[in-house]
Amino acid sequence: MGPRLSLEEKRKRMMDIFHEMPEPFLLKELERIGPKQKGIVSQSVKDVVQSLVDDGMCHCEKVGTSNFFWAFPSEAAVKRKNKMIQLEKELAQMQAKQKELVDLIANAQLGREHTEERGYLLEEMMETEALWNRQQEELKQFKECDPVLMNRKREEAVMAKDAANRWTDNVFIIQSWVRDKFNMDMGEFNKFFGIPAEFDSV
């Protein structure tokens, strides 16, 4: 008794039968040929042939009350060629996608280097916010004081608030542009530029 064959080996040997004798076979003929020529036990021939039919490697046609099975060598060559073309196309698509991702990563790095101008803008924004907070505290102290002085303080506070909000809006505009242009997460943006999570318009 020969070695036990795996399903894949049985499928390969069954395809060899079809290619060596390119003609239609009845199942009972394959059950007779399989054990004699290829060492495929007759009880497994039906399942092996059906698996080939299911995978499109073998044809099955009912003629009258009988099922005929066949697979010609030329068909296998065409299928291999088509499969190779498909794989080459998928490979080209993957390579294009990889290049696109590499380019996106490279572009995302642009403009993220520390510059003097960016540092100055962030520093000025923080100073404006600090000024606004100080003036808010001063307003509380003058709440019961001279109305003229209070009005002046309020006007200064409004001006500081407007200035702070303008800078805040500028930051939001930059955030949106970076997010849309480079698909950058806002949490990563805020962390990189040192922007606190509670940052918002005042």
Side-chain angles (χ1 to χ4, degrees):
M1 184 176 180
R4 187 172 182 177
L5 302 176
S6 65
L7 175 60
E8 193 57 37
E9 181 62 27
K10 292 176 183 177
R11 284 160 52 94
K12 180 181 179 302
R13 295 190 182 191
M14 185 60 66
M15 289 301 296
D16 288 342
I17 294 175
F18 288 128
H19 292 167
E20 291 168 3
M21 295 181 285
E23 58 185 72
F25 294 93
L26 291 169
L27 181 60
K28 62 181 181 181
E29 292 175 327
L30 293 172
E31 290 174 338
R32 184 179 67 253
I33 297 171
K36 292 176 61 176
Q37 296 189 13
K38 299 299 179 179
I40 307 171
V41 294
S42 59
Q43 292 87 343
S44 65
V45 168
K46 181 177 180 181
D47 292 336
V48 173
V49 173
Q50 187 59 51
S51 73
L52 295 173
V53 173
D54 294 340
D55 290 346
M57 299 174 65
C58 171
H59 296 282
C60 176
E61 188 72 32
K62 189 175 184 67
V63 179
T65 59
S66 301
N67 288 324
F68 286 88
F69 302 89
W70 74 93
F72 299 137
S74 57
E75 291 181 326
V78 171
K79 288 181 180 179
R80 284 195 298 270
K81 181 178 180 181
N82 290 339
K83 184 64 175 179
M84 184 177 66
I85 293 173
Q86 178 186 350
L87 291 174
E88 289 175 346
K89 181 178 180 181
E90 292 175 359
L91 177 61
Q93 291 174 343
M94 291 176 64
Q95 289 174 334
K97 184 64 176 178
Q98 181 187 33
K99 183 179 184 304
E100 180 182 351
L101 292 174
V102 170
D103 291 342
L104 285 175
I105 292 173
N107 290 333
Q109 300 298 324
L110 296 177
R112 293 178 62 181
E113 306 85 356
H114 180 74
T115 62
E116 182 178 349
E117 181 181 5
R118 187 175 66 188
Y120 169 76
L121 291 175
L122 288 173
E123 182 179 351
E124 185 174 350
M125 180 184 69
M126 292 178 183
E127 289 177 354
T128 304
E129 288 183 345
L131 174 62
W132 160 253
N133 292 330
R134 288 197 302 271
Q135 290 179 333
Q136 286 292 92
E137 292 298 321
E138 289 180 14
L139 278 175
K140 292 179 183 178
Q141 297 175 10
F142 288 98
K143 188 174 183 181
E144 308 260 340
C145 297
D146 184 11
V148 175
L149 184 59
M150 288 180 60
N151 287 335
R152 182 163 62 85
K153 288 291 184 180
R154 288 194 182 96
E155 290 173 359
E156 292 175 353
V158 169
M159 292 175 61
K161 179 181 178 180
D162 290 341
N165 284 334
R166 281 196 300 273
W167 282 110
T168 301
D169 290 341
N170 289 339
V171 171
F172 287 154
I173 290 172
I174 294 173
Q175 282 181 329
S176 298
W177 184 83
V178 171
R179 180 193 61 205
D180 296 337
K181 183 71 175 177
F182 303 115
N183 195 25
M184 185 179 186
D185 181 74
M186 290 299 96
E188 182 182 357
F189 179 95
N190 292 342
K191 181 178 180 181
F192 186 87
F193 289 98
I195 300 175
E198 64 274 15
F199 177 79
D200 202 349
S201 299
V202 293

